[in-house]
Amino acid sequence: MTVLVTGGAGYIGSHTVVELLQAGEQVVVLDNLSNSSLEALKRVESITNSSIIFYQGDIRDNAQLDAIFVEHKIDSVVHFAGLKSVNESISLPYKYYDNNVQGTLNLLAAMERASVYKLVFSSSANVYGTPDTLPVIESAPVGETSNPYGTSKYMVERILQDLATSNEKWRFAILRYFNPVGAHKSGLIGEDPNDIPNNLLPYISQVAIGKLACLGVFGDDYDTPDGTGVRDYIHVVDLALGHLKALEKLSSINGAEVFNLGTGNGYSVLEMIKAFEVASGKSVKFEIKGRRSGDIAMSYANPEKAKSELNWEAKRGLDDMMADAWRWQSQNPNGYANR
Ligand code: NAD
Ligand code: WQD
């Protein structure tokens, strides 16, 4: 099977490409490298001892997309390409709707021209906004998002559902990721934020390695066991494996199906700091700050649907997430460095 992976040089994409290659699939990657480095794909090739067909290009470039579908007999598409900063999306909404929504529309139109109808889409727990009930199930209300990033994911979900209604050939697996963390156990690939990290784990890692002085903990007065925010952190390799299960399932999906990819467990910010200290042997200096605007107290998944219908569940626990995040950070203090 030949799989087109958009955004395959990025954090989750590169880990998924490893698993696809190791499962014997042919992989074609399309990535504009706006938030990634070719070095990641070189390292994927060395981990897997196989080669990747790579196109540096944009999902908004129709000619590029058509050329790829002509040159390769693509069976299905795993669509990671997109922008993901909640903060940036608030100040640059057009950029996010253009990249994430318009970009996906272009991709879908090119797929239709090439008669390729199977796609796995990277959505986000962000579409749930502030969940009413925990753990969150797929049928919970969506769309009350607090930022254009989350809204762009919600809009694409709706577009996919409408396309599935319009033409029964379409098969979509919409995967709502919770909080991906960790890295491949080789220490060769991992998350490489290009600025000061917004997300918790990369920030903790950079404090531990001495690149940042102190972690700000955004609020200790939430209605949670220790007052700090609780999230469902999922190892990126488990997440990657979820995409392989979704691809297997695509042929038997009727239209569009949504799956939560999470562990079902919630950990607080303070628990995360402690676990990282244990895994790394480093101390992580932190300071309690005010709440971050737009944050919610708690979010964790009900992952039962993915378990029963995709035959997938997260296997890696918090210790693995932390040990692997630290191996990546300590072996690559400057990430991929040359990007
Ligand atoms: P990432 O930024 O590391 O990877 C995204 C990749 O897409 C990058 O390599 C980037 O260069 C590429 N890209 C962006 N716009 C493109 C375009 N127009 N054309 C071609 N390539 C383009 O992010 P990630 O963490 O690997 O996330 C992958 C996907 O999963 C994204 O769609 C993101 O919104 C979604 N997601 C991420 C998280 C998370 O916390 N990391 C959570 C939920 C959902
Ligand atoms: C986790 C917890 C913070 C940083 C975001 C997106 C979501 C998804 C994953 C893409 C919260 C606290 C964080 C820091 C802190 N991405 N925190 N100090 O906000 O759950 O989710 O990333 O789809 O859509 O919204 O993740 O890692 O930013 O925060 O105290 O410096 O850590 O308040 O409780 P979040 P996060």
Side-chain angles (χ1 to χ4, degrees):
M1 177 165 88
T2 302
V3 183
L4 171 63
V5 182
T6 72
Y11 172 45
I12 306 169
S14 57
H15 288 81
T16 304
V17 172
V18 167
E19 299 305 325
L20 284 168
L21 291 170
Q22 286 180 339
E25 312 296 0
Q26 284 262 28
V27 175
V28 176
V29 169
L30 171 65
D31 198 304
N32 64 6
L33 302 181
S34 61
N35 194 38
S36 54
S37 149
L38 205 48
E39 179 62 18
L41 290 177
K42 289 191 186 142
R43 293 187 184 190
V44 169
E45 291 186 325
S46 88
I47 292 168
T48 57
N49 202 17
S50 25
S51 58
I52 298 165
I53 301 160
F54 175 66
Y55 292 85
Q56 180 167 355
D58 200 293
I59 53 168
R60 291 163 296 180
D61 178 345
N62 288 320
Q64 170 80 281
L65 285 171
D66 285 342
I68 291 173
F69 284 110
V70 167
E71 279 163 42
H72 305 279
K73 200 182 162 335
I74 305 289
D75 181 78
S76 35
V77 178
V78 183
H79 177 34
F80 295 105
L83 300 173
K84 64 167 178 177
S85 164
V86 167
N87 269 347
E88 187 188 47
S89 79
I90 293 168
S91 47
L92 297 173
Y94 179 81
K95 185 177 172 186
Y96 275 68
Y97 291 122
D98 184 44
N99 210 316
N100 294 2
V101 182
Q102 185 58 48
T104 302
L105 282 170
N106 274 17
L107 173 65
L108 291 162
M111 289 176 66
E112 197 161 39
R113 288 194 293 276
S115 299
V116 175
Y117 289 101
K118 289 188 282 184
L119 178 130
V120 177
F121 175 60
S122 300
S123 190
S124 169
N126 208 299
V127 300
Y128 292 118
T130 307
D132 297 332
T133 320
L134 292 168
V136 195
I137 59 169
E138 288 84 352
S139 56
V142 288
E144 288 300 314
T145 44
S146 61
N147 56 82
Y149 166 73
T151 312
S152 76
K153 292 292 176 187
Y154 170 68
M155 288 166 83
V156 171
E157 286 200 7
R158 289 297 304 265
I159 290 167
L160 299 183
Q161 275 151 0
D162 290 345
L163 283 190
T165 306
S166 75
N167 181 345
E168 63 184 19
K169 287 184 182 158
W170 284 112
R171 305 257 180 272
F172 298 116
I174 296 170
L175 306 182
R176 292 184 184 146
Y177 313 154
F178 281 68
N179 290 59
V181 295
H184 190 261
K185 64 178 180 332
S186 62
L188 288 173
I189 57 171
E191 188 169 11
D192 183 18
N194 59 8
D195 207 343
I196 295 179
N198 293 311
N199 295 117
L200 181 64
L201 235 285
Y203 206 109
I204 291 180
S205 309
Q206 293 197 14
V207 172
I209 199 95
K211 289 180 78 177
L212 294 169
C214 179
L215 170 76
V217 173
F218 298 141
D220 68 348
D221 56 354
Y222 285 105
D223 185 14
T224 62
D226 65 19
T228 65
V230 168
R231 297 289 184 276
D232 186 338
Y233 297 93
I234 173 170
H235 195 296
V236 64
V237 173
D238 279 327
L239 192 64
L241 290 167
H243 293 74
L244 273 68
K245 293 292 190 182
L247 280 169
E248 275 173 34
K249 179 79 182 174
L250 270 183
S251 309
S252 59
I253 281 179
N254 249 341
E257 279 288 342
V258 179
F259 300 95
N260 282 340
L261 295 188
T263 66
N265 303 312
Y267 293 101
S268 74
V269 177
L270 297 182
E271 285 174 317
M272 294 296 282
I273 296 171
K274 185 100 251 111
F276 194 90
E277 288 183 331
V278 170
S280 65
K282 301 276 177 190
S283 76
V284 175
K285 194 171 170 217
F286 69 89
E287 186 185 345
I288 306 293
K289 295 266 180 67
R291 291 183 179 193
R292 181 173 65 178
S293 143
D295 267 358
I296 56 177
M298 288 214 259
S299 165
Y300 52 93
N302 177 332
E304 285 307 313
K305 185 177 175 191
K307 189 174 175 185
S308 61
E309 295 186 24
L310 298 181
N311 190 25
W312 170 90
E313 66 182 315
K315 298 266 167 60
R316 291 158 183 81
L318 194 58
D319 294 347
D320 297 311
M321 300 180 208
M322 298 307 190
D324 294 340
W326 176 241
R327 188 178 306 107
W328 157 252
Q329 179 68 67
S330 53
Q331 289 180 11
N332 307 271
N334 297 314
Y336 295 114
N338 58 349
R339 90 168 183 227

